[in-house]
């Protein structure tokens, strides 16, 4: 693979604390991404905001405002993780779809691709800049825009199951599954709009557990224990 879009869940970066940041976890991610980047793979990253905010569970806040808070949570995550990556020896850049003063760069495909081709690891924060769209949608959209070869989605759960493995101990894990089946069965892997965008643009994805040793490196090399979503 020449270029990947890595999606990290905010909860996974929080480690066992389940909120905020776990620096040891983020450093482990940085070590793996540096090895990938040093091998010549171009890396873009999207991070969810669930370690700080899950506005959809609140009935007291307007949905638009709740989503805006969620977007800002992803900006915090990307700035923090970007700095850890720099400490680990990488050049980075954080892009947002809205102005954040001097904190980030305003996203454009040309700027993002230019940064990738210079060897920088780039972060896409703030989703797509509008409410009612999930981080899943931002992930797929940015992957399509930068013409990534694949989306790598690192999560607390190690793949796609036919039911929730937390609730059903007999849940079946898929090694591979077509994106059309994900859409038709509404398996909850990602929101439906993002899954359809993935299907329409033939963007493959691998979902895997972040907490397994060298999981990101193994997935890039095709040795993932997760689920490959084919197109």
């Amino acid at each position: 693979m020449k270029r990947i879009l890595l999606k990290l869940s905010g909860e996974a970066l929080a480690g066992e604390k389940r909120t905020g940041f776990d620096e040891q976890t983020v450093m482990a991610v940085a070590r793996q991404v540096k090895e990938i980047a040093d091998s010549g793979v171009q890396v873009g990253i999207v991070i969810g905001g669930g370690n700080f905010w899950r506005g959809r569970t609140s009935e007291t806040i307007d949905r638009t405002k709740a989503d805006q808070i969620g977007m800002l949570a992803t900006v915090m995550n990307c700035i923090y993780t970007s700095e850890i990556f720099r400490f680990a020896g990488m050049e980075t850049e954080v892009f947002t779809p809205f102005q954040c003063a001097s904190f980030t760069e305003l996203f454009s495909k040309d700027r993002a691709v230019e940064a990738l081709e210079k060897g920088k690891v780039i972060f896409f924060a703030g989703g797509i800049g509008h409410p009612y769209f999930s981080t899943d949608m931002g992930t797929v959209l940015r992957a399509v825009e930068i013409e990534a070869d694949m989306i790598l989605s690192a999560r607390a759960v190690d793949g796609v199951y036919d039911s929730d493995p937390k609730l059903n101990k007999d849940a079946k894990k898929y090694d591979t599954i077509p994106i059309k089946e994900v859409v038709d069965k509404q398996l909850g892997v990602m929101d439906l709009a993002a899954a359809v965008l993935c299907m329409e643009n033939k963007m493959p994805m691998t979902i895997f557990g972040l907490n397994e040793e060298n999981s990101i490196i193994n997935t890039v090399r095709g040795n993932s224990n997760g689920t490959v979503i084919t197109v």
Side-chain angles (χ1 to χ4, degrees), residues 36-57:
I36 293 164
D38 286 349
S39 74
V41 177
Q42 298 173 2
V43 184
I45 296 177
V46 172
I47 306 177
N51 53 326
F52 285 113
W53 181 254
R54 283 205 169 276
R56 295 185 186 189
T57 61

Side-chain angles (χ1 to χ4, degrees), residues 176-218:
T176 63
I177 186 171
I179 185 65
K180 188 177 187 305
E181 189 172 339
V182 171
V183 172
D184 291 344
K185 292 183 176 179
Q186 297 187 32
L187 291 176
V189 174
M190 66 184 93
D191 75 65
L192 194 56
V196 170
L197 185 64
C198 226
M199 183 170 66
E200 289 178 342
N201 289 277
K202 301 188 183 307
M203 178 58 65
M205 176 185 296
T206 298
I207 294 177
F208 62 99
L210 177 62
N211 294 326
E212 296 179 15
E213 187 175 0
N214 291 326
S215 60
I216 300 172
I217 293 170
N218 290 337

Side-chain angles (χ1 to χ4, degrees), residues 6-190:
L6 175 63
K7 164 71 187 304
L8 301 170
S9 76
E11 295 98 321
L13 291 183
E16 294 181 0
K17 296 189 298 184
R18 297 185 177 276
T19 186
F21 303 113
D22 181 72
E23 191 161 298
Q24 187 175 355
T25 300
V26 181
M27 281 296 297
V29 171
R31 176 186 58 79
Q32 292 185 71
V33 172
K34 187 174 191 306
E35 184 171 331
I36 293 164
D38 286 349
S39 74
V41 177
Q42 298 173 2
V43 184
I45 296 177
V46 172
I47 306 177
N51 53 326
F52 285 113
W53 181 254
R54 283 205 169 276
R56 295 185 186 189
T57 61
S58 174
E59 297 179 358
T60 59
I61 299 175
D62 175 78
R63 171 64 186 274
T64 296
K65 299 302 181 185
D67 284 359
Q68 289 171 345
I69 295 170
M71 291 176 216
L72 293 175
T74 71
V75 175
M76 290 193 296
N77 279 347
C78 285
I79 291 174
Y80 174 86
T81 306
S82 168
E83 286 304 302
I84 296 293
F85 278 31
R86 290 186 182 192
F87 178 82
M90 289 171 273
E91 289 188 72
T92 66
E93 201 153 345
V94 180
F95 291 95
T96 49
F98 43 75
Q99 293 281 3
C100 284
S102 60
F103 296 172
T104 65
E105 295 292 329
L106 190 62
F107 171 77
S108 80
K109 174 180 177 176
D110 291 344
R111 279 200 212 86
V113 170
E114 181 181 5
L116 285 168
E117 291 180 344
K118 287 181 178 177
K120 294 183 179 181
V121 175
I122 65 174
F123 292 81
F124 300 113
I128 68 170
H130 297 284
Y132 295 91
F133 291 96
S134 70
T135 312
D136 290 336
M137 176 60 82
T139 299
V140 177
L141 180 61
R142 295 299 182 235
V144 171
E145 286 181 301
I146 66 170
E147 300 175 59
D149 297 312
M150 178 176 276
I151 296 169
L152 276 56
S153 185
R155 305 186 179 188
V157 179
D158 64 350
V160 180
Y161 289 78
D162 61 356
S163 59
D164 190 339
K166 294 179 182 177
L167 303 176
N168 177 15
K169 62 182 179 62
D170 296 320
K172 175 190 171 186
K173 180 181 173 182
Y174 297 97
D175 292 326
T176 63
I177 186 171
I179 185 65
K180 188 177 187 305
E181 189 172 339
V182 171
V183 172
D184 291 344
K185 292 183 176 179
Q186 297 187 32
L187 291 176
V189 174
M190 66 184 93

